Amino acid sequence: MKYIVAIIKPHRLEEVREALDALGIQGITVTEVKGHGRQGGHTEFYRGAEYKVNFIPKIRLDIAVDSAVAAKAVEAIRGAALTGQIGDGKIFVLGLEQAMRIR
């Protein structure tokens, strides 16, 4: 099994969810996170005052999938999250030794 962690822009969440649904992947954990990479943040204006935002709001997806489906899941996430702009996100794939259901 593989454990996929994807950091994406918040407005792309629905497209990514639909792409994963199309592959039959149903179990997704979604967390609102903040961070920055190469872009380092950005400048915003609030009530006429300029201020620097160091941490950008992002969405973190945690997904456990079968190893045979992992490459397709990564490509689906990448395709759905891609905007072509800086800060589109990252995808990490880790080995998952064991997973069990609590039921």
Side-chain angles (χ1 to χ4, degrees):
M1 290 189 77
K2 298 291 183 183
Y3 189 70
I4 301 172
V5 177
I7 309 296
I8 62 170
K9 290 183 174 182
H11 69 276
R12 302 303 291 180
L13 176 60
E14 192 58 30
E15 289 87 347
V16 171
R17 188 195 62 76
E18 289 172 0
L20 292 170
D21 274 351
L23 291 176
I25 297 171
Q26 299 169 344
I28 304 169
T29 301
V30 178
T31 310
E32 293 180 9
V33 295
K34 291 183 180 186
H36 72 80
R38 289 184 186 162
Q39 83 261 25
H42 66 274
T43 304
E44 288 188 3
F45 290 93
Y46 180 71
R47 294 188 179 189
E50 181 180 350
Y51 66 98
K52 182 159 175 68
V53 177
N54 292 319
F55 295 105
I56 310 298
K58 301 283 184 172
I59 296 291
R60 175 182 168 150
L61 305 175
D62 294 291
I63 309 158
V65 297
D66 189 71
S67 295
V69 182
K72 290 179 183 176
V74 167
E75 205 45 49
I77 294 167
R78 185 181 178 282
L82 181 67
T83 66
Q85 302 293 320
I86 190 166
D88 274 348
K90 294 272 193 268
I91 302 172
F92 305 97
V93 181
L94 304 111
L96 181 60
E97 187 176 319
Q98 184 179 11
M100 63 185 71
R101 184 177 313 232
I102 301 173
R103 182 171 14 170

PDB file of all heavy atoms in Angstrom, residues 15-46:
ATOM      1  N   GLU A  15     -12.307  19.631  -7.615  1.00  0.00           N
ATOM      2  CA  GLU A  15     -11.822  18.982  -8.838  1.00  0.00           C
ATOM      3  C   GLU A  15     -10.982  17.750  -8.509  1.00  0.00           C
ATOM      4  O   GLU A  15     -11.097  16.709  -9.157  1.00  0.00           O
ATOM      5  CB  GLU A  15     -10.991  19.953  -9.690  1.00  0.00           C
ATOM      6  CG  GLU A  15     -11.800  21.043 -10.351  1.00  0.00           C
ATOM      7  CD  GLU A  15     -12.002  22.264  -9.460  1.00  0.00           C
ATOM      8  OE1 GLU A  15     -11.743  22.204  -8.238  1.00  0.00           O
ATOM      9  OE2 GLU A  15     -12.450  23.293  -9.998  1.00  0.00           O
ATOM     10  N   VAL A  16     -10.140  17.852  -7.487  1.00  0.00           N
ATOM     11  CA  VAL A  16      -9.311  16.715  -7.074  1.00  0.00           C
ATOM     12  C   VAL A  16     -10.196  15.596  -6.530  1.00  0.00           C
ATOM     13  O   VAL A  16      -9.995  14.422  -6.851  1.00  0.00           O
ATOM     14  CB  VAL A  16      -8.260  17.150  -6.029  1.00  0.00           C
ATOM     15  CG1 VAL A  16      -7.548  15.950  -5.432  1.00  0.00           C
ATOM     16  CG2 VAL A  16      -7.259  18.108  -6.664  1.00  0.00           C
ATOM     17  N   ARG A  17     -11.183  15.952  -5.716  1.00  0.00           N
ATOM     18  CA  ARG A  17     -12.093  14.937  -5.168  1.00  0.00           C
ATOM     19  C   ARG A  17     -12.831  14.196  -6.283  1.00  0.00           C
ATOM     20  O   ARG A  17     -12.951  12.976  -6.260  1.00  0.00           O
ATOM     21  CB  ARG A  17     -13.108  15.567  -4.209  1.00  0.00           C
ATOM     22  CG  ARG A  17     -13.944  14.521  -3.461  1.00  0.00           C
ATOM     23  CD  ARG A  17     -15.170  15.136  -2.812  1.00  0.00           C
ATOM     24  NE  ARG A  17     -16.085  15.729  -3.777  1.00  0.00           N
ATOM     25  CZ  ARG A  17     -16.911  15.038  -4.567  1.00  0.00           C
ATOM     26  NH1 ARG A  17     -16.933  13.734  -4.546  1.00  0.00           N
ATOM     27  NH2 ARG A  17     -17.714  15.668  -5.404  1.00  0.00           N
ATOM     28  N   GLU A  18     -13.290  14.929  -7.290  1.00  0.00           N
ATOM     29  CA  GLU A  18     -13.984  14.310  -8.417  1.00  0.00           C
ATOM     30  C   GLU A  18     -13.056  13.391  -9.207  1.00  0.00           C
ATOM     31  O   GLU A  18     -13.464  12.306  -9.639  1.00  0.00           O
ATOM     32  CB  GLU A  18     -14.578  15.383  -9.330  1.00  0.00           C
ATOM     33  CG  GLU A  18     -15.753  16.107  -8.721  1.00  0.00           C
ATOM     34  CD  GLU A  18     -16.214  17.295  -9.543  1.00  0.00           C
ATOM     35  OE1 GLU A  18     -15.619  17.574 -10.614  1.00  0.00           O
ATOM     36  OE2 GLU A  18     -17.171  17.965  -9.107  1.00  0.00           O
ATOM     37  N   ALA A  19     -11.800  13.794  -9.391  1.00  0.00           N
ATOM     38  CA  ALA A  19     -10.834  12.972 -10.120  1.00  0.00           C
ATOM     39  C   ALA A  19     -10.544  11.681  -9.369  1.00  0.00           C
ATOM     40  O   ALA A  19     -10.432  10.605  -9.975  1.00  0.00           O
ATOM     41  CB  ALA A  19      -9.544  13.752 -10.349  1.00  0.00           C
ATOM     42  N   LEU A  20     -10.447  11.757  -8.045  1.00  0.00           N
ATOM     43  CA  LEU A  20     -10.211  10.555  -7.240  1.00  0.00           C
ATOM     44  C   LEU A  20     -11.451   9.668  -7.202  1.00  0.00           C
ATOM     45  O   LEU A  20     -11.337   8.438  -7.228  1.00  0.00           O
ATOM     46  CB  LEU A  20      -9.765  10.937  -5.833  1.00  0.00           C
ATOM     47  CG  LEU A  20      -8.380  11.582  -5.748  1.00  0.00           C
ATOM     48  CD1 LEU A  20      -8.137  12.131  -4.352  1.00  0.00           C
ATOM     49  CD2 LEU A  20      -7.296  10.601  -6.149  1.00  0.00           C
ATOM     50  N   ASP A  21     -12.628  10.261  -7.152  1.00  0.00           N
ATOM     51  CA  ASP A  21     -13.880   9.490  -7.215  1.00  0.00           C
ATOM     52  C   ASP A  21     -13.966   8.699  -8.507  1.00  0.00           C
ATOM     53  O   ASP A  21     -14.442   7.563  -8.524  1.00  0.00           O
ATOM     54  CB  ASP A  21     -15.102  10.400  -7.093  1.00  0.00           C
ATOM     55  CG  ASP A  21     -15.491  10.683  -5.656  1.00  0.00           C
ATOM     56  OD1 ASP A  21     -14.929  10.040  -4.743  1.00  0.00           O
ATOM     57  OD2 ASP A  21     -16.359  11.558  -5.446  1.00  0.00           O
ATOM     58  N   ALA A  22     -13.521   9.293  -9.596  1.00  0.00           N
ATOM     59  CA  ALA A  22     -13.555   8.617 -10.898  1.00  0.00           C
ATOM     60  C   ALA A  22     -12.676   7.363 -10.900  1.00  0.00           C
ATOM     61  O   ALA A  22     -12.947   6.424 -11.648  1.00  0.00           O
ATOM     62  CB  ALA A  22     -13.109   9.575 -12.000  1.00  0.00           C
ATOM     63  N   LEU A  23     -11.643   7.342 -10.055  1.00  0.00           N
ATOM     64  CA  LEU A  23     -10.787   6.160  -9.934  1.00  0.00           C
ATOM     65  C   LEU A  23     -11.314   5.155  -8.912  1.00  0.00           C
ATOM     66  O   LEU A  23     -10.738   4.094  -8.736  1.00  0.00           O
ATOM     67  CB  LEU A  23      -9.370   6.576  -9.509  1.00  0.00           C
ATOM     68  CG  LEU A  23      -8.545   7.340 -10.522  1.00  0.00           C
ATOM     69  CD1 LEU A  23      -7.224   7.757  -9.895  1.00  0.00           C
ATOM     70  CD2 LEU A  23      -8.307   6.502 -11.764  1.00  0.00           C
ATOM     71  N   GLY A  24     -12.375   5.521  -8.218  1.00  0.00           N
ATOM     72  CA  GLY A  24     -12.943   4.640  -7.195  1.00  0.00           C
ATOM     73  C   GLY A  24     -12.304   4.821  -5.829  1.00  0.00           C
ATOM     74  O   GLY A  24     -12.527   4.027  -4.925  1.00  0.00           O
ATOM     75  N   ILE A  25     -11.524   5.880  -5.661  1.00  0.00           N
ATOM     76  CA  ILE A  25     -10.893   6.168  -4.368  1.00  0.00           C
ATOM     77  C   ILE A  25     -11.873   6.992  -3.548  1.00  0.00           C
ATOM     78  O   ILE A  25     -12.257   8.081  -3.937  1.00  0.00           O
ATOM     79  CB  ILE A  25      -9.568   6.921  -4.562  1.00  0.00           C
ATOM     80  CG1 ILE A  25      -8.593   6.047  -5.339  1.00  0.00           C
ATOM     81  CG2 ILE A  25      -8.985   7.335  -3.217  1.00  0.00           C
ATOM     82  CD1 ILE A  25      -7.340   6.750  -5.780  1.00  0.00           C
ATOM     83  N   GLN A  26     -12.266   6.453  -2.393  1.00  0.00           N
ATOM     84  CA  GLN A  26     -13.309   7.103  -1.603  1.00  0.00           C
ATOM     85  C   GLN A  26     -12.803   7.682  -0.294  1.00  0.00           C
ATOM     86  O   GLN A  26     -13.332   8.663   0.186  1.00  0.00           O
ATOM     87  CB  GLN A  26     -14.426   6.111  -1.318  1.00  0.00           C
ATOM     88  CG  GLN A  26     -15.077   5.601  -2.576  1.00  0.00           C
ATOM     89  CD  GLN A  26     -15.990   4.436  -2.313  1.00  0.00           C
ATOM     90  OE1 GLN A  26     -15.925   3.817  -1.267  1.00  0.00           O
ATOM     91  NE2 GLN A  26     -16.847   4.133  -3.266  1.00  0.00           N
ATOM     92  N   GLY A  27     -11.792   7.079   0.298  1.00  0.00           N
ATOM     93  CA  GLY A  27     -11.323   7.526   1.603  1.00  0.00           C
ATOM     94  C   GLY A  27     -10.287   8.623   1.499  1.00  0.00           C
ATOM     95  O   GLY A  27      -9.167   8.397   1.064  1.00  0.00           O
ATOM     96  N   ILE A  28     -10.669   9.834   1.874  1.00  0.00           N
ATOM     97  CA  ILE A  28      -9.766  10.981   1.815  1.00  0.00           C
ATOM     98  C   ILE A  28      -9.913  11.764   3.121  1.00  0.00           C
ATOM     99  O   ILE A  28     -11.026  12.030   3.559  1.00  0.00           O
ATOM    100  CB  ILE A  28     -10.113  11.919   0.638  1.00  0.00           C
ATOM    101  CG1 ILE A  28     -10.117  11.168  -0.679  1.00  0.00           C
ATOM    102  CG2 ILE A  28      -9.151  13.090   0.580  1.00  0.00           C
ATOM    103  CD1 ILE A  28     -10.700  11.979  -1.822  1.00  0.00           C
ATOM    104  N   THR A  29      -8.793  12.141   3.704  1.00  0.00           N
ATOM    105  CA  THR A  29      -8.810  13.039   4.857  1.00  0.00           C
ATOM    106  C   THR A  29      -8.357  14.409   4.370  1.00  0.00           C
ATOM    107  O   THR A  29      -7.329  14.531   3.717  1.00  0.00           O
ATOM    108  CB  THR A  29      -7.867  12.535   5.965  1.00  0.00           C
ATOM    109  OG1 THR A  29      -8.291  11.234   6.364  1.00  0.00           O
ATOM    110  CG2 THR A  29      -7.889  13.463   7.168  1.00  0.00           C
ATOM    111  N   VAL A  30      -9.135  15.443   4.685  1.00  0.00           N
ATOM    112  CA  VAL A  30      -8.855  16.805   4.232  1.00  0.00           C
ATOM    113  C   VAL A  30      -8.591  17.681   5.452  1.00  0.00           C
ATOM    114  O   VAL A  30      -9.370  17.675   6.404  1.00  0.00           O
ATOM    115  CB  VAL A  30     -10.051  17.374   3.433  1.00  0.00           C
ATOM    116  CG1 VAL A  30      -9.780  18.802   3.003  1.00  0.00           C
ATOM    117  CG2 VAL A  30     -10.360  16.489   2.241  1.00  0.00           C
ATOM    118  N   THR A  31      -7.481  18.421   5.411  1.00  0.00           N
ATOM    119  CA  THR A  31      -7.099  19.308   6.503  1.00  0.00           C
ATOM    120  C   THR A  31      -6.722  20.666   5.931  1.00  0.00           C
ATOM    121  O   THR A  31      -6.030  20.742   4.923  1.00  0.00           O
ATOM    122  CB  THR A  31      -5.876  18.741   7.265  1.00  0.00           C
ATOM    123  OG1 THR A  31      -6.113  17.380   7.590  1.00  0.00           O
ATOM    124  CG2 THR A  31      -5.611  19.518   8.534  1.00  0.00           C
ATOM    125  N   GLU A  32      -7.182  21.732   6.583  1.00  0.00           N
ATOM    126  CA  GLU A  32      -6.761  23.077   6.200  1.00  0.00           C
ATOM    127  C   GLU A  32      -5.420  23.345   6.865  1.00  0.00           C
ATOM    128  O   GLU A  32      -5.293  23.203   8.088  1.00  0.00           O
ATOM    129  CB  GLU A  32      -7.791  24.114   6.641  1.00  0.00           C
ATOM    130  CG  GLU A  32      -9.108  24.001   5.902  1.00  0.00           C
ATOM    131  CD  GLU A  32     -10.120  25.038   6.340  1.00  0.00           C
ATOM    132  OE1 GLU A  32      -9.761  25.955   7.106  1.00  0.00           O
ATOM    133  OE2 GLU A  32     -11.264  24.927   5.911  1.00  0.00           O
ATOM    134  N   VAL A  33      -4.422  23.715   6.066  1.00  0.00           N
ATOM    135  CA  VAL A  33      -3.076  23.972   6.579  1.00  0.00           C
ATOM    136  C   VAL A  33      -2.567  25.298   6.026  1.00  0.00           C
ATOM    137  O   VAL A  33      -3.187  25.891   5.134  1.00  0.00           O
ATOM    138  CB  VAL A  33      -2.093  22.832   6.204  1.00  0.00           C
ATOM    139  CG1 VAL A  33      -2.493  21.537   6.879  1.00  0.00           C
ATOM    140  CG2 VAL A  33      -2.007  22.652   4.701  1.00  0.00           C
ATOM    141  N   LYS A  34      -1.445  25.764   6.548  1.00  0.00           N
ATOM    142  CA  LYS A  34      -0.789  26.962   6.037  1.00  0.00           C
ATOM    143  C   LYS A  34       0.684  26.648   5.843  1.00  0.00           C
ATOM    144  O   LYS A  34       1.254  25.857   6.582  1.00  0.00           O
ATOM    145  CB  LYS A  34      -0.922  28.131   7.019  1.00  0.00           C
ATOM    146  CG  LYS A  34      -2.320  28.660   7.146  1.00  0.00           C
ATOM    147  CD  LYS A  34      -2.343  29.853   8.065  1.00  0.00           C
ATOM    148  CE  LYS A  34      -3.761  30.374   8.188  1.00  0.00           C
ATOM    149  NZ  LYS A  34      -3.817  31.611   8.964  1.00  0.00           N
ATOM    150  N   GLY A  35       1.283  27.270   4.853  1.00  0.00           N
ATOM    151  CA  GLY A  35       2.698  27.068   4.624  1.00  0.00           C
ATOM    152  C   GLY A  35       3.164  27.888   3.442  1.00  0.00           C
ATOM    153  O   GLY A  35       2.407  28.664   2.866  1.00  0.00           O
ATOM    154  N   HIS A  36       4.435  27.702   3.103  1.00  0.00           N
ATOM    155  CA  HIS A  36       4.955  28.352   1.906  1.00  0.00           C
ATOM    156  C   HIS A  36       6.131  27.554   1.392  1.00  0.00           C
ATOM    157  O   HIS A  36       6.775  26.808   2.115  1.00  0.00           O
ATOM    158  CB  HIS A  36       5.333  29.813   2.147  1.00  0.00           C
ATOM    159  CG  HIS A  36       6.563  30.007   2.972  1.00  0.00           C
ATOM    160  ND1 HIS A  36       7.831  29.895   2.446  1.00  0.00           N
ATOM    161  CD2 HIS A  36       6.715  30.294   4.276  1.00  0.00           C
ATOM    162  CE1 HIS A  36       8.705  30.126   3.400  1.00  0.00           C
ATOM    163  NE2 HIS A  36       8.050  30.364   4.524  1.00  0.00           N
ATOM    164  N   GLY A  37       6.360  27.699   0.130  1.00  0.00           N
ATOM    165  CA  GLY A  37       7.484  27.061  -0.523  1.00  0.00           C
ATOM    166  C   GLY A  37       8.334  28.130  -1.153  1.00  0.00           C
ATOM    167  O   GLY A  37       8.689  29.123  -0.508  1.00  0.00           O
ATOM    168  N   ARG A  38       8.617  27.966  -2.417  1.00  0.00           N
ATOM    169  CA  ARG A  38       9.465  28.927  -3.123  1.00  0.00           C
ATOM    170  C   ARG A  38       8.862  30.322  -3.195  1.00  0.00           C
ATOM    171  O   ARG A  38       9.575  31.303  -3.219  1.00  0.00           O
ATOM    172  CB  ARG A  38       9.732  28.434  -4.541  1.00  0.00           C
ATOM    173  CG  ARG A  38      10.646  27.259  -4.572  1.00  0.00           C
ATOM    174  CD  ARG A  38      10.958  26.888  -5.998  1.00  0.00           C
ATOM    175  NE  ARG A  38      11.730  25.656  -6.020  1.00  0.00           N
ATOM    176  CZ  ARG A  38      11.867  24.911  -7.073  1.00  0.00           C
ATOM    177  NH1 ARG A  38      11.304  25.254  -8.203  1.00  0.00           N
ATOM    178  NH2 ARG A  38      12.577  23.816  -7.013  1.00  0.00           N
ATOM    179  N   GLN A  39       7.539  30.397  -3.244  1.00  0.00           N
ATOM    180  CA  GLN A  39       6.929  31.720  -3.386  1.00  0.00           C
ATOM    181  C   GLN A  39       7.121  32.556  -2.126  1.00  0.00           C
ATOM    182  O   GLN A  39       7.067  33.776  -2.189  1.00  0.00           O
ATOM    183  CB  GLN A  39       5.457  31.627  -3.775  1.00  0.00           C
ATOM    184  CG  GLN A  39       4.494  31.397  -2.629  1.00  0.00           C
ATOM    185  CD  GLN A  39       4.050  29.961  -2.459  1.00  0.00           C
ATOM    186  OE1 GLN A  39       4.734  29.037  -2.852  1.00  0.00           O
ATOM    187  NE2 GLN A  39       2.898  29.772  -1.864  1.00  0.00           N
ATOM    188  N   GLY A  40       7.328  31.939  -0.972  1.00  0.00           N
ATOM    189  CA  GLY A  40       7.659  32.665   0.244  1.00  0.00           C
ATOM    190  C   GLY A  40       6.557  33.519   0.830  1.00  0.00           C
ATOM    191  O   GLY A  40       6.761  34.193   1.814  1.00  0.00           O
ATOM    192  N   GLY A  41       5.388  33.516   0.288  1.00  0.00           N
ATOM    193  CA  GLY A  41       4.290  34.340   0.769  1.00  0.00           C
ATOM    194  C   GLY A  41       3.881  35.349  -0.296  1.00  0.00           C
ATOM    195  O   GLY A  41       4.321  35.278  -1.433  1.00  0.00           O
ATOM    196  N   HIS A  42       3.036  36.289   0.087  1.00  0.00           N
ATOM    197  CA  HIS A  42       2.613  37.329  -0.841  1.00  0.00           C
ATOM    198  C   HIS A  42       2.166  38.565  -0.065  1.00  0.00           C
ATOM    199  O   HIS A  42       2.024  38.531   1.152  1.00  0.00           O
ATOM    200  CB  HIS A  42       1.504  36.822  -1.777  1.00  0.00           C
ATOM    201  CG  HIS A  42       0.228  36.496  -1.083  1.00  0.00           C
ATOM    202  ND1 HIS A  42      -0.029  35.272  -0.505  1.00  0.00           N
ATOM    203  CD2 HIS A  42      -0.878  37.246  -0.864  1.00  0.00           C
ATOM    204  CE1 HIS A  42      -1.238  35.281   0.035  1.00  0.00           C
ATOM    205  NE2 HIS A  42      -1.773  36.458  -0.167  1.00  0.00           N
ATOM    206  N   THR A  43       1.924  39.643  -0.806  1.00  0.00           N
ATOM    207  CA  THR A  43       1.500  40.903  -0.203  1.00  0.00           C
ATOM    208  C   THR A  43       0.012  41.105  -0.465  1.00  0.00           C
ATOM    209  O   THR A  43      -0.463  40.865  -1.563  1.00  0.00           O
ATOM    210  CB  THR A  43       2.298  42.071  -0.807  1.00  0.00           C
ATOM    211  OG1 THR A  43       3.685  41.811  -0.617  1.00  0.00           O
ATOM    212  CG2 THR A  43       1.946  43.386  -0.156  1.00  0.00           C
ATOM    213  N   GLU A  44      -0.708  41.537   0.567  1.00  0.00           N
ATOM    214  CA  GLU A  44      -2.140  41.827   0.446  1.00  0.00           C
ATOM    215  C   GLU A  44      -2.413  43.229   0.962  1.00  0.00           C
ATOM    216  O   GLU A  44      -1.594  43.817   1.667  1.00  0.00           O
ATOM    217  CB  GLU A  44      -2.967  40.815   1.247  1.00  0.00           C
ATOM    218  CG  GLU A  44      -3.011  39.445   0.637  1.00  0.00           C
ATOM    219  CD  GLU A  44      -3.995  38.524   1.339  1.00  0.00           C
ATOM    220  OE1 GLU A  44      -4.688  38.977   2.282  1.00  0.00           O
ATOM    221  OE2 GLU A  44      -4.076  37.366   0.934  1.00  0.00           O
ATOM    222  N   PHE A  45      -3.587  43.739   0.616  1.00  0.00           N
ATOM    223  CA  PHE A  45      -4.019  45.040   1.099  1.00  0.00           C
ATOM    224  C   PHE A  45      -5.286  44.853   1.912  1.00  0.00           C
ATOM    225  O   PHE A  45      -6.196  44.132   1.510  1.00  0.00           O
ATOM    226  CB  PHE A  45      -4.309  45.988  -0.074  1.00  0.00           C
ATOM    227  CG  PHE A  45      -3.061  46.415  -0.795  1.00  0.00           C
ATOM    228  CD1 PHE A  45      -2.610  45.711  -1.895  1.00  0.00           C
ATOM    229  CD2 PHE A  45      -2.351  47.511  -0.349  1.00  0.00           C
ATOM    230  CE1 PHE A  45      -1.462  46.094  -2.556  1.00  0.00           C
ATOM    231  CE2 PHE A  45      -1.198  47.903  -1.007  1.00  0.00           C
ATOM    232  CZ  PHE A  45      -0.748  47.199  -2.110  1.00  0.00           C
ATOM    233  N   TYR A  46      -5.340  45.473   3.082  1.00  0.00           N
ATOM    234  CA  TYR A  46      -6.518  45.418   3.940  1.00  0.00           C
ATOM    235  C   TYR A  46      -6.785  46.828   4.441  1.00  0.00           C
ATOM    236  O   TYR A  46      -5.947  47.426   5.121  1.00  0.00           O
ATOM    237  CB  TYR A  46      -6.293  44.459   5.112  1.00  0.00           C
ATOM    238  CG  TYR A  46      -7.469  44.359   6.039  1.00  0.00           C
ATOM    239  CD1 TYR A  46      -8.641  43.713   5.647  1.00  0.00           C
ATOM    240  CD2 TYR A  46      -7.433  44.929   7.302  1.00  0.00           C
ATOM    241  CE1 TYR A  46      -9.735  43.625   6.492  1.00  0.00           C
ATOM    242  CE2 TYR A  46      -8.514  44.852   8.150  1.00  0.00           C
ATOM    243  CZ  TYR A  46      -9.657  44.201   7.741  1.00  0.00           C
ATOM    244  OH  TYR A  46     -10.744  44.121   8.582  1.00  0.00           O
TER     245      TYR A  46
END
